[in-house]
Short mmCIF file of all heavy atoms in Angstrom, two decimals:
data_model
loop_
_atom_site.label_atom_id
_atom_site.label_comp_id
_atom_site.label_asym_id
_atom_site.label_seq_id
_atom_site.Cartn_x
_atom_site.Cartn_y
_atom_site.Cartn_z
N GLY A 26 2.36 5.05 -6.54
CA GLY A 26 2.12 4.32 -7.79
C GLY A 26 3.13 4.76 -8.88
O GLY A 26 3.69 5.82 -8.84
N GLY A 27 3.29 3.85 -9.84
CA GLY A 27 4.10 4.19 -11.06
C GLY A 27 5.57 4.38 -10.81
O GLY A 27 6.28 4.92 -11.63
N VAL A 28 6.09 3.80 -9.70
CA VAL A 28 7.53 3.88 -9.43
C VAL A 28 8.33 2.68 -9.97
O VAL A 28 9.54 2.64 -9.94
CB VAL A 28 7.82 4.07 -7.94
CG1 VAL A 28 7.18 5.36 -7.38
CG2 VAL A 28 7.34 2.84 -7.15
N GLY A 29 7.54 1.67 -10.46
CA GLY A 29 8.25 0.48 -11.00
C GLY A 29 8.14 -0.79 -10.14
O GLY A 29 8.88 -1.73 -10.36
N LYS A 30 7.16 -0.85 -9.21
CA LYS A 30 6.99 -1.99 -8.41
C LYS A 30 6.77 -3.24 -9.23
O LYS A 30 7.37 -4.28 -9.03
CB LYS A 30 5.77 -1.86 -7.49
CG LYS A 30 5.88 -0.79 -6.40
CD LYS A 30 4.60 -0.73 -5.55
CE LYS A 30 3.36 -0.19 -6.30
NZ LYS A 30 3.51 1.16 -6.84
N THR A 31 5.88 -3.13 -10.21
CA THR A 31 5.56 -4.31 -11.04
C THR A 31 6.72 -4.74 -11.87
O THR A 31 7.05 -5.91 -11.96
CB THR A 31 4.31 -4.00 -11.91
OG1 THR A 31 3.23 -3.70 -11.05
CG2 THR A 31 3.94 -5.19 -12.77
N LEU A 32 7.37 -3.80 -12.51
CA LEU A 32 8.55 -4.11 -13.32
C LEU A 32 9.64 -4.77 -12.44
O LEU A 32 10.15 -5.82 -12.81
CB LEU A 32 9.11 -2.84 -13.93
CG LEU A 32 10.34 -3.14 -14.75
CD1 LEU A 32 9.99 -3.74 -16.09
CD2 LEU A 32 11.18 -1.86 -14.95
N ILE A 33 9.90 -4.19 -11.30
CA ILE A 33 10.95 -4.69 -10.46
C ILE A 33 10.65 -6.03 -9.84
O ILE A 33 11.44 -6.94 -9.77
CB ILE A 33 11.35 -3.64 -9.38
CG1 ILE A 33 12.06 -2.44 -10.05
CG2 ILE A 33 12.24 -4.25 -8.26
CD1 ILE A 33 12.23 -1.23 -9.22
N SER A 34 9.41 -6.21 -9.39
CA SER A 34 9.07 -7.51 -8.77
C SER A 34 9.16 -8.61 -9.84
O SER A 34 9.60 -9.72 -9.55
CB SER A 34 7.70 -7.46 -8.09
OG SER A 34 6.71 -6.97 -8.93
N THR A 35 8.70 -8.28 -11.04
CA THR A 35 8.73 -9.28 -12.10
C THR A 35 10.20 -9.67 -12.49
O THR A 35 10.53 -10.83 -12.62
CB THR A 35 7.91 -8.85 -13.34
OG1 THR A 35 6.64 -8.40 -12.84
CG2 THR A 35 7.80 -9.96 -14.32
N LEU A 36 10.98 -8.60 -12.64
CA LEU A 36 12.41 -8.82 -12.95
C LEU A 36 13.12 -9.61 -11.85
O LEU A 36 13.90 -10.51 -12.11
CB LEU A 36 13.18 -7.52 -13.21
CG LEU A 36 12.90 -6.82 -14.53
CD1 LEU A 36 13.61 -5.46 -14.55
CD2 LEU A 36 13.35 -7.69 -15.70
N PHE A 37 12.81 -9.26 -10.62
CA PHE A 37 13.37 -9.97 -9.48
C PHE A 37 13.06 -11.46 -9.59
O PHE A 37 13.97 -12.33 -9.47
CB PHE A 37 12.79 -9.34 -8.19
CG PHE A 37 13.34 -9.90 -6.93
CD1 PHE A 37 14.39 -10.80 -6.86
CD2 PHE A 37 12.80 -9.44 -5.71
CE1 PHE A 37 14.88 -11.27 -5.70
CE2 PHE A 37 13.28 -9.94 -4.49
CZ PHE A 37 14.34 -10.87 -4.47
N ALA A 38 11.81 -11.79 -9.88
CA ALA A 38 11.40 -13.19 -9.98
C ALA A 38 12.12 -13.85 -11.14
O ALA A 38 12.63 -14.96 -10.99
CB ALA A 38 9.86 -13.25 -10.16
N LEU A 39 12.23 -13.17 -12.28
CA LEU A 39 12.88 -13.75 -13.41
C LEU A 39 14.35 -14.00 -13.17
O LEU A 39 14.89 -15.08 -13.47
CB LEU A 39 12.71 -12.82 -14.63
CG LEU A 39 11.37 -12.75 -15.33
CD1 LEU A 39 11.39 -11.60 -16.37
CD2 LEU A 39 11.07 -14.07 -16.00
N LEU A 40 15.01 -12.99 -12.54
CA LEU A 40 16.45 -13.15 -12.29
C LEU A 40 16.74 -14.27 -11.32
O LEU A 40 17.65 -15.04 -11.45
CB LEU A 40 16.99 -11.84 -11.75
CG LEU A 40 17.09 -10.69 -12.80
CD1 LEU A 40 17.30 -9.35 -12.09
CD2 LEU A 40 18.24 -10.96 -13.78
N ALA A 41 15.89 -14.35 -10.28
CA ALA A 41 16.08 -15.45 -9.29
C ALA A 41 15.89 -16.82 -9.93
O ALA A 41 16.60 -17.76 -9.63
CB ALA A 41 15.17 -15.22 -8.07
N SER A 42 14.85 -16.90 -10.78
CA SER A 42 14.59 -18.15 -11.44
C SER A 42 15.77 -18.57 -12.38
O SER A 42 16.10 -19.70 -12.44
CB SER A 42 13.28 -18.04 -12.26
OG SER A 42 13.13 -19.10 -13.15
N GLN A 43 16.29 -17.56 -13.04
CA GLN A 43 17.46 -17.79 -13.93
C GLN A 43 18.65 -18.40 -13.16
O GLN A 43 19.46 -19.12 -13.70
CB GLN A 43 17.82 -16.41 -14.60
CG GLN A 43 18.61 -16.59 -15.86
CD GLN A 43 19.12 -15.24 -16.38
OE1 GLN A 43 19.49 -14.34 -15.62
NE2 GLN A 43 19.12 -15.09 -17.71
N ARG A 44 18.75 -18.00 -11.91
CA ARG A 44 19.80 -18.52 -11.05
C ARG A 44 19.50 -19.92 -10.53
O ARG A 44 20.19 -20.36 -9.60
CB ARG A 44 20.07 -17.57 -9.86
CG ARG A 44 20.50 -16.22 -10.20
CD ARG A 44 21.94 -16.28 -10.82
NE ARG A 44 22.38 -14.96 -11.20
CZ ARG A 44 23.20 -14.19 -10.49
NH1 ARG A 44 23.63 -14.60 -9.39
NH2 ARG A 44 23.54 -12.96 -10.92
N GLY A 45 18.41 -20.47 -10.96
CA GLY A 45 18.08 -21.86 -10.56
C GLY A 45 17.19 -21.91 -9.30
O GLY A 45 16.96 -23.01 -8.74
N LYS A 46 16.74 -20.74 -8.84
CA LYS A 46 15.87 -20.81 -7.66
C LYS A 46 14.43 -21.18 -8.07
O LYS A 46 14.02 -20.95 -9.22
CB LYS A 46 15.82 -19.43 -6.98
CG LYS A 46 17.13 -19.07 -6.32
CD LYS A 46 16.95 -17.84 -5.49
CE LYS A 46 18.05 -17.66 -4.53
NZ LYS A 46 18.04 -18.66 -3.39
N ARG A 47 13.68 -21.80 -7.15
CA ARG A 47 12.27 -22.06 -7.43
C ARG A 47 11.50 -20.82 -6.95
O ARG A 47 11.51 -20.51 -5.79
CB ARG A 47 11.84 -23.30 -6.66
CG ARG A 47 12.53 -24.58 -7.21
CD ARG A 47 12.45 -25.72 -6.22
NE ARG A 47 12.97 -25.35 -4.92
CZ ARG A 47 12.93 -26.14 -3.86
NH1 ARG A 47 12.36 -27.28 -3.87
NH2 ARG A 47 13.51 -25.72 -2.70
N VAL A 48 10.85 -20.11 -7.92
CA VAL A 48 10.29 -18.81 -7.62
C VAL A 48 8.82 -18.71 -8.00
O VAL A 48 8.36 -19.21 -9.02
CB VAL A 48 11.04 -17.77 -8.41
CG1 VAL A 48 10.55 -16.34 -8.08
CG2 VAL A 48 12.57 -17.83 -8.20
N GLY A 49 8.07 -18.01 -7.08
CA GLY A 49 6.68 -17.72 -7.37
C GLY A 49 6.51 -16.20 -7.42
O GLY A 49 7.35 -15.45 -6.88
N LEU A 50 5.49 -15.76 -8.14
CA LEU A 50 5.23 -14.30 -8.26
C LEU A 50 3.72 -14.09 -8.12
O LEU A 50 2.92 -14.58 -8.87
CB LEU A 50 5.65 -13.81 -9.64
CG LEU A 50 5.40 -12.36 -9.97
CD1 LEU A 50 6.08 -11.39 -9.01
CD2 LEU A 50 5.89 -12.06 -11.42
#
Side-chain angles (χ1 to χ4, degrees):
Chain A
V28 297
K30 291 179 294 299
T31 299
L32 178 76
I33 289 167
S34 52
T35 309
L36 284 175
F37 183 6
L39 286 171
L40 290 164
S42 166
Q43 203 185 36
R44 298 292 178 100
K46 291 189 165 290
R47 295 163 301 175
V48 183
L50 177 59

